[in-house]
Amino acid sequence: MARSTGQRLLGFDRRLGVRFVAGADEAGRGSLAGPLVVAGVLLDYGELRGARVRPLASLNDSKQVAPDERERLFEAVAASAAAISVRVVPAGEIDRSGLHRSNLAGLRAVLADLHPPAEACLVDGFRLGPSAPPHQALVDGDTRSAAIAAASIVAKVVRDRVMRRLDSLYPRYGFVSHVGYITPAHTEAVRALGPTELHRRSFQARCYADEAA
């Protein structure tokens, strides 16, 4: 019988040969509006078995999971993780510090937040520098490691929930549907109404061109 995605990802982490494995990932890097959300998840492989691990059978990179399943997996991760940390970086901070620097700072912070300290820290693709906890940067880590995939689920679900709530404050921008990413409808709304305080003004977006003209 073929292994589930969750079994494969959990197997990768278990082969590291340590008890506590942390993963970190973010959601919203490419979004025009809204925050960057960074999450860290600590899995305790000394306790992760039986009823605690079965709900993670379909665990995968959040981009590979349908919205309803992401919500279910979010609850499963919350129930099975030893610790979770989330940092929400607003658009203004991204504009002041830059997207890449904001992302690295968030990844460092969530890994440092997790207790007990992980024996292995895994990050999806980024080296975080010497001020971060010792870590390994994994290319496509959210499709390889259960801890990183769990962090990707948490970051994505938290960010989508934030954007859906912000839709009630800015109902004419369609945040409930595109959650801040660039779509034809979002572009048209910004051109017609102008950007909000949620929009990242440091991004070189065509929909800002009319305002600058």
Side-chain angles (χ1 to χ4, degrees):
M1 179 181 297
R3 292 194 302 168
S4 68
T5 55
Q7 288 173 320
R8 177 175 57 80
L9 298 172
L10 291 159
F12 178 93
D13 287 6
R14 291 185 190 279
R15 287 192 295 275
L16 298 173
V18 298
R19 176 172 177 177
F20 291 102
V21 179
D25 201 4
E26 80 288 320
R29 275 180 60 84
S31 178
L32 181 66
L36 177 73
V37 175
V38 187
V41 173
L42 182 67
L43 298 180
D44 177 357
Y45 282 95
E47 299 291 336
L48 201 55
R49 61 174 69 92
R52 294 190 67 187
V53 76
R54 281 193 289 272
L56 300 177
S58 62
L59 182 63
N60 203 350
D61 167 22
S62 63
K63 296 184 292 295
Q64 306 298 320
V65 179
D68 288 350
E69 180 64 5
R70 280 200 300 264
E71 290 283 346
R72 190 198 67 77
L73 282 169
F74 178 89
E75 300 301 332
V77 170
S80 62
I84 294 174
S85 175
V86 175
R87 297 293 182 103
V88 178
V89 184
E93 177 62 27
I94 294 168
D95 287 341
R96 286 189 296 272
S97 300
L99 176 63
H100 186 59
R101 182 177 294 179
S102 297
N103 188 36
L104 296 186
L107 291 166
R108 286 191 291 265
V110 295
L111 288 177
D113 286 343
L114 298 173
H115 293 281
E119 297 157 279
C121 291
L122 306 175
V123 183
D124 186 26
F126 295 102
R127 297 188 183 278
L128 306 181
S131 63
H135 61 283
Q136 179 181 357
L138 286 180
V139 176
D140 296 326
D142 45 12
T143 65
R144 299 168 63 188
S145 159
I148 296 178
S152 79
I153 292 288
V154 171
K156 176 62 174 168
V157 169
V158 168
R159 188 178 187 282
D160 284 359
R161 289 178 178 179
V162 167
M163 294 307 295
R164 286 194 294 268
R165 289 171 183 166
L166 289 171
D167 183 77
S168 65
L169 298 178
Y170 302 94
R172 299 175 67 187
Y173 288 83
F175 292 140
V176 73
S177 61
H178 55 65
V179 295
Y181 287 90
I182 297 175
T183 65
H186 189 189
T187 296
E188 183 58 33
V190 174
R191 284 176 171 161
L193 304 170
T196 71
E197 62 183 6
L198 303 178
H199 285 87
R200 303 175 189 179
R201 303 307 301 278
S202 54
F203 281 28
Q204 300 300 311
R206 290 183 179 179
C207 57
Y208 295 155
D210 292 341
E211 184 188 38

